[in-house]
Amino acid sequence: PPQGSVLYLDALGAAFPRALTRRGTAVLHWSPGCPRAPAGWPLPTLYCTPAAAAVLPSRAAALRLQLLFALRQRALHVLEAGLAAELHDALLTLRTEWPRLAQELELGRLSPQPGLPEELREQLQALLSPAVARAAEIRDQCAHGFEGIALRLWPRLEVVVVRTMRGTERLYCDSLRQADCRGLPFYCPFYQAAGALLGVNLWPAEPVPRFVLCPDWAFCEFLPCLASKEPRTVLLDELGEGREYGLVVTAQPGEYRCRTGEVLKVTGFHKQCPVVEPVRRESQTLSVRGESIPEEQFCQSLCRTLSLWPGARLIDYVCVESSLLGDSSGPCAPHYEVFLELQGLRDLSEVQRYKLDQCLQEDFPIYKSFRFKGSIGPLRLHLVRARSFTRLREALGSPMPMPRVLREEQLLQLIQGAVIS
């Protein structure tokens, strides 16, 4: 709804007064066939990025092209990405291709892009005049490393805007905050589920996003999570502060009372509207014997395990239930397979690999019980080569958050093919 756009821009402008500067926002978002801003409403006066740069058939090519135009504009105030993963991958491209990107800016000439129609190439080429001084600045800054590179390349940056910071995307937000985007606040303006816009974040400066649920944007019902009997849905005016609810939405044609798998916690009220914080996604759980380990809690156990591996830094991970492997999982009991991309470690001993299974047993008594009885087998841990998850996101073919629990054989085969240890 247009109301959402107005509320977003009002909140953004109040917290960061220069954020709405003309051509002061760079978009890093792939939306094939739909050249619009990640927020959902095209506001061409704000963006330095040509809308046509988003329609390339390749995600990697689109993000690279958008990065090139962002680099050209030194006076940026906002980096806006549909997903934190897209910003993460664009800045990873900067780390590996900065000499070539600087040369393109210096010459004002686009390198050949696979799948880029000639007409579109000429249209974008006309917007890329030579920028010799800017190319020299990029070379100088990148030659000094990439910690805090965003503020060094764009010294007027005020905020990073992303569509979501929950679930899968939290890992990328944390990684960006610690390295490339160090010193910058992250703002998640909207809460969306089941293809519908449901709420808006009116507090851009707060580190943990909270959303006001807007009553006329979609019809929402809520299932109490800890109901002692068979729960019945409640409506907006029946929500209780501090309680958790499963979200049920009626918004899209043909989708009536859709259980989204989202769990929300009511943290307060803005006037009479509930303010909520997304807690977890029930659809992203590991469960081979009904133990149901949520992705957020699995990630916490994984991060605790990493603290026991000196020098290791987590880049990305994904989990698979052994049932998806079919005969290749062998005759052993059902178990988890975990694929990791690490920095700082090239291999793990069997003792180190077992630490994750051990942490899961300590954090989840029901998992420990199944392991003790032998009805769940030992977790298997695999290391994959660098940038494997960038290719996995490319293979998804959709600008949606990557699932943390893989359930498609094609994606499983791709990550299995990247295993190095």
Side-chain angles (χ1 to χ4, degrees):
Q3 184 184 17
S5 181
V6 174
L7 289 171
Y8 156 55
L9 294 174
D10 181 65
L12 183 67
F16 306 101
R18 294 174 296 174
L20 303 184
T21 301
R22 180 180 174 85
R23 295 180 61 78
T25 297
V27 175
L28 294 161
H29 179 52
W30 181 56
S31 50
C34 187
R36 66 183 184 185
W41 297 275
L43 299 165
T45 57
L46 294 184
Y47 298 106
C48 73
T49 317
V55 301
L56 272 69
S58 163
R59 174 183 181 273
L63 292 179
R64 186 189 185 281
L65 198 56
Q66 291 169 337
L67 174 64
L68 183 67
F69 280 94
L71 289 170
R72 189 173 181 275
Q73 184 75 2
R74 187 180 191 273
L76 287 182
H77 293 278
V78 180
L79 285 178
E80 183 175 317
L83 298 173
E86 291 174 313
L87 177 58
H88 175 276
D89 289 347
L91 293 177
L92 186 60
T93 298
L94 175 67
R95 287 174 178 252
T96 56
E97 293 193 40
W98 64 266
R100 186 175 165 198
L101 289 163
Q103 183 180 42
E104 289 179 47
L105 288 174
E106 184 176 54
L107 300 176
R109 186 178 305 156
L110 282 176
S111 295
Q113 298 280 341
L116 180 61
E118 186 60 30
E119 182 179 349
L120 180 57
R121 185 180 184 280
E122 291 177 0
Q123 176 187 342
L124 294 169
Q125 179 71 62
L127 301 172
L128 195 70
S129 56
V132 178
R134 182 60 175 156
E137 183 179 21
I138 290 167
R139 290 190 181 103
D140 179 60
Q141 293 297 338
C142 291
H144 285 85
F146 293 90
E147 295 296 312
I149 190 66
L151 272 174
R152 289 192 282 119
L153 287 177
W154 299 290
R156 299 184 190 178
L157 270 182
E158 293 184 83
V159 63
V160 176
V161 176
V162 292
R163 189 175 70 193
T164 179
M165 292 170 61
R166 67 189 191 274
T168 300
E169 293 297 297
R170 189 174 299 169
L171 178 65
Y172 308 121
C173 288
D174 291 344
S175 176
L176 289 166
R177 282 193 182 110
Q178 293 166 13
D180 298 50
C181 296
R182 181 178 293 173
L184 285 167
F186 277 60
Y187 173 38
C188 177
F190 300 114
Y191 178 61
Q192 296 172 293
L197 181 64
L198 306 178
V200 63
N201 180 358
L202 300 180
W203 304 276
E206 292 188 6
V208 178
R210 298 181 296 135
F211 304 93
V212 178
L213 293 180
C214 299
D216 57 349
W217 291 2
F219 182 70
C220 297
E221 301 170 82
F222 305 87
L223 280 166
C225 286
L226 298 177
S228 56
K229 300 179 181 178
E230 185 68 25
R232 67 171 185 86
T233 57
V234 297
L235 302 180
L236 278 175
D237 62 331
E238 300 174 284
L239 297 181
E241 186 171 351
R243 299 190 64 183
E244 294 185 357
Y245 299 89
L247 178 64
V248 180
V249 174
T250 300
Q252 304 294 324
E255 294 184 0
Y256 173 68
R257 304 189 82 193
C258 173
R259 293 190 66 163
T260 63
E262 300 268 345
V263 176
L264 308 175
K265 181 177 181 179
V266 179
T267 61
F269 293 85
H270 179 71
K271 300 183 179 178
Q272 295 183 13
C273 290
V275 177
V276 301
E277 181 182 322
V279 176
R280 59 184 176 275
R281 296 186 298 173
E282 292 178 326
S283 59
Q284 289 291 291
T285 60
L286 281 165
S287 187
V288 294
R289 290 288 187 191
E291 68 280 10
S292 298
I293 298 179
E295 64 170 316
E296 288 85 355
Q297 294 178 24
F298 179 89
C299 187
Q300 290 172 14
S301 297
L302 176 59
C303 291
R304 188 161 73 87
T305 305
L306 255 74
S307 68
L308 305 174
W309 298 338
R313 176 172 172 255
L314 179 63
I315 303 300
D316 223 327
Y317 79 96
V318 75
C319 306
V320 175
E321 296 167 358
S322 61
S323 58
L324 188 64
L325 279 71
D327 294 338
S328 63
S329 66
C332 60
H335 60 277
Y336 306 158
E337 304 251 347
V338 180
F339 299 84
L340 297 180
E341 182 180 333
L342 296 179
Q343 192 175 69
L345 279 184
R346 303 184 68 175
D347 200 0
L348 293 170
S349 67
E350 288 304 315
V351 173
Q352 287 176 311
R353 290 170 192 263
Y354 180 67
K355 289 293 184 184
L356 177 54
D357 194 283
Q358 193 173 34
C359 284
L360 284 174
Q361 291 185 48
E362 293 170 0
D363 295 340
F364 299 97
I366 188 171
Y367 178 77
K368 181 177 182 178
S369 172
F370 282 127
R371 287 284 290 112
F372 180 77
K373 292 184 289 188
S375 54
I376 291 182
L379 178 147
R380 294 181 179 177
L381 193 59
H382 311 277
L383 299 186
V384 300
R385 66 177 64 95
R387 303 200 71 169
S388 297
F389 286 89
T390 302
R391 289 185 280 274
L392 187 64
R393 287 189 285 275
E394 183 84 15
L396 281 170
S398 172
M400 299 294 291
M402 190 182 74
R404 221 25 113 191
V405 181
L406 290 187
R407 305 196 188 280
E408 295 183 25
E409 289 187 13
Q410 180 183 357
L411 299 178
L412 170 62
Q413 291 170 7
L414 194 153
I415 202 67
Q416 283 180 316
V419 171
I420 56 175
S421 170

